[in-house]
């Protein structure tokens, strides 16, 4: 078994007790939450996440893992605010959805490994459901519009950024205007055809990839329902396209202690092993995931 590198662990995370700055509904059962958390905002890179719980409330006792959707500066141009997007459906997110500005919130992060910033000509983000949440920062970095992390890791590593975004119906699509304002080419698809194409994300991606002559210039990243990610991963592998997945395995601790978020990952020796999504992910090369 490969030993974990120290960087995989949550050594650089910060725990912050702060208050809600913004909590607004942006789609059906979908909300955007903003908190002031400068230590997290300054250190986070695209694809990382935070654990959140409502301060002083013990039901649920554990936090909820949410991808970092956006990072905003204060008036002095310093990274200060962290945005997440969440669905109202559980013991934490239901009361959170009605929490007012000023409500105390505990969060810790940034957690996870984040997407790589490998050079490409075209970055295609294939997402479904709530899987669009880690993509806004990644696309901005790819286009060179924003840099992230204490070391200001390299940005401007793609010429174009596209997002293929699918949901069951139009009412569930969230953040579309943000993607367009960021300069992404946006393709929408819905199961019922209520907006965009009536199609599934992997099918739309396949059509798009067949239009590109040199697939070595393309990177695909994907997040969403596991069956969708599996099909995207299989498609990219069959076409020789570089692909990373952001796994949405349920987490309890977020820091590698509880082993509740393991995924089966192929090793270099041909065998597979369990890897903790919270500390060795959530980003993995798609060809490494055992989907069965």
């Amino acid at each position: 078994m490969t030993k974990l590198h120290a960087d995989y662990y949550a050594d650089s995370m910060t725990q912050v007790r702060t208050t809600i700055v913004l909590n607004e509904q942006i789609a059906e059962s979908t909300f955007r939450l903003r908190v002031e958390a400068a230590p997290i905002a300054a250190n986070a890179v695209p694809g990382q996440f935070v654990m959140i719980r409502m301060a002083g409330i013990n039901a649920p006792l554990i936090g909820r893992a949410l991808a970092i959707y956006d990072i905003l500066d204060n008036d002095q141009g310093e990274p200060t605010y962290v945005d997440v997007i969440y669905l109202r459906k559980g013991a934490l997110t239901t009361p959170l959805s009605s929490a007012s500005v000023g409500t105390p919130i505990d969060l810790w992060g940034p957690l996870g490994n984040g997407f790589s910033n490998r050079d490409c000509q075209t970055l295609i983000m294939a997402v479904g459901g709530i899987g669009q949440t880690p993509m806004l920062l990644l696309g901005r970095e790819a286009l060179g519009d924003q840099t992230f992390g204490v070391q200001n890791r390299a940005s401007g590593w793609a010429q174009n950024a596209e997002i293929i975004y699918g949901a069951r119906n139009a009412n569930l699509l969230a953040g579309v205007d943000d993607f367009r304002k960021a300069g992404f080419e946006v393709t929408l698809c819905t199961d019922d055809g209520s907006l965009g194409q009536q199609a599934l994300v992997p099918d739309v991606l396949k059509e798009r990839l067949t239009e590109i002559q040199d697939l070595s210039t393309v990177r695909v990243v994907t997040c969403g329902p596991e069956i969708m990610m599996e099909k995207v991963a299989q498609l990219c592998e069959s076409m020789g396209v570089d692909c990373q997945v952001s796994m949405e395995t349920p987490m309890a601790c977020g820091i590698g202690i509880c082993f509740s978020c393991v995924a089966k990952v192929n090793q270099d020796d041909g065998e597979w092993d369990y890897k903790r999504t919270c500390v060795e992910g959530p980003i993995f090369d798609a060809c490494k995931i055992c989907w069965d």
Side-chain angles (χ1 to χ4, degrees):
M1 180 177 178
T2 303
K3 293 183 179 180
L4 293 182
H5 189 278
D7 289 347
Y8 289 147
Y9 292 102
D11 297 344
S12 61
M13 82 166 190
T14 302
Q15 185 164 355
V16 177
R17 175 160 291 188
T18 185
T19 56
I20 294 175
V21 175
L22 173 74
N23 192 23
E24 63 178 6
Q25 186 167 0
I26 59 172
E28 181 181 316
S29 301
T30 309
F31 294 77
R32 182 173 186 158
L33 176 75
R34 178 173 301 158
V35 297
E36 183 174 346
I40 296 175
N43 284 281
V45 299
Q48 290 189 297
F49 65 96
V50 293
M51 298 291 292
I52 287 183
R53 66 188 298 272
M54 296 181 71
I57 296 177
N58 294 326
L61 181 63
I62 60 176
R64 170 77 184 273
L66 295 172
I68 297 174
Y69 177 69
D70 203 358
I71 293 172
L72 299 96
D73 292 345
N74 61 15
D75 293 339
Q76 289 72 48
E78 301 163 332
T80 302
Y81 302 98
V82 173
D83 282 15
V84 297
I85 289 179
Y86 65 93
L87 286 175
R88 178 179 57 200
K89 65 175 185 178
L92 172 65
T93 53
T94 297
L96 183 61
S97 67
S98 59
S100 59
V101 171
T103 299
I105 290 288
D106 286 330
L107 70 158
W108 52 103
L111 299 166
N113 59 352
F115 289 104
S116 71
N117 53 350
R118 298 195 285 261
D119 288 343
C120 65
Q121 180 171 316
T122 300
L123 172 69
I124 302 178
M125 298 163 276
V127 303
I130 199 71
Q132 88 283 16
T133 52
M135 301 303 174
L136 183 62
L137 295 185
L138 181 66
R140 284 184 184 156
E141 180 188 72
L143 295 176
D145 295 332
Q146 202 166 353
T147 57
F148 299 98
V150 173
Q151 303 300 322
N152 287 328
R153 73 177 199 163
S155 64
W157 40 267
Q159 296 182 27
N160 309 292
E162 306 176 13
I163 186 165
I164 301 171
Y165 180 14
R168 293 195 307 274
N169 59 65
N171 295 330
L172 294 169
L173 293 166
V176 176
D177 288 343
D178 292 333
F179 301 134
R180 289 185 171 134
K181 289 176 183 176
F184 306 171
E185 181 179 331
V186 178
T187 301
L188 302 177
C189 51
T190 49
D191 292 354
D192 63 359
S194 53
L195 187 63
Q197 303 179 45
Q198 185 172 9
L200 300 176
V201 169
D203 297 330
V204 178
L205 175 62
K206 182 177 182 179
E207 183 177 348
R208 176 68 184 108
L209 291 177
T210 58
E211 298 172 349
I212 300 174
Q213 291 186 344
D214 185 1
L215 291 177
S216 67
T217 66
V218 177
R219 272 192 65 197
V220 172
V221 293
T222 184
C223 184
E226 187 167 303
I227 185 62
M228 184 212 77
M229 290 193 293
E230 179 181 1
K231 291 183 180 298
V232 168
Q234 291 172 344
L235 171 66
C236 289
E237 187 171 12
S238 69
M239 299 183 74
V241 175
D242 181 9
C243 181
Q244 284 189 309
V245 298
S246 176
M247 300 296 288
E248 293 192 317
T249 312
M251 300 178 191
C253 74
I255 58 175
I257 296 173
C258 68
F259 284 79
S260 67
C261 64
V262 294
K264 292 168 66 176
V265 178
N266 290 314
Q267 307 300 295
D268 293 339
D269 61 5
E271 300 295 324
W272 64 265
D273 197 1
Y274 285 115
K275 298 296 181 183
R276 291 167 289 179
T277 301
C278 64
V279 291
E280 293 162 285
I283 313 303
F284 296 94
D285 284 335
C287 62
K288 297 290 188 180
I289 300 296
C290 298
W291 298 102
D292 53 1

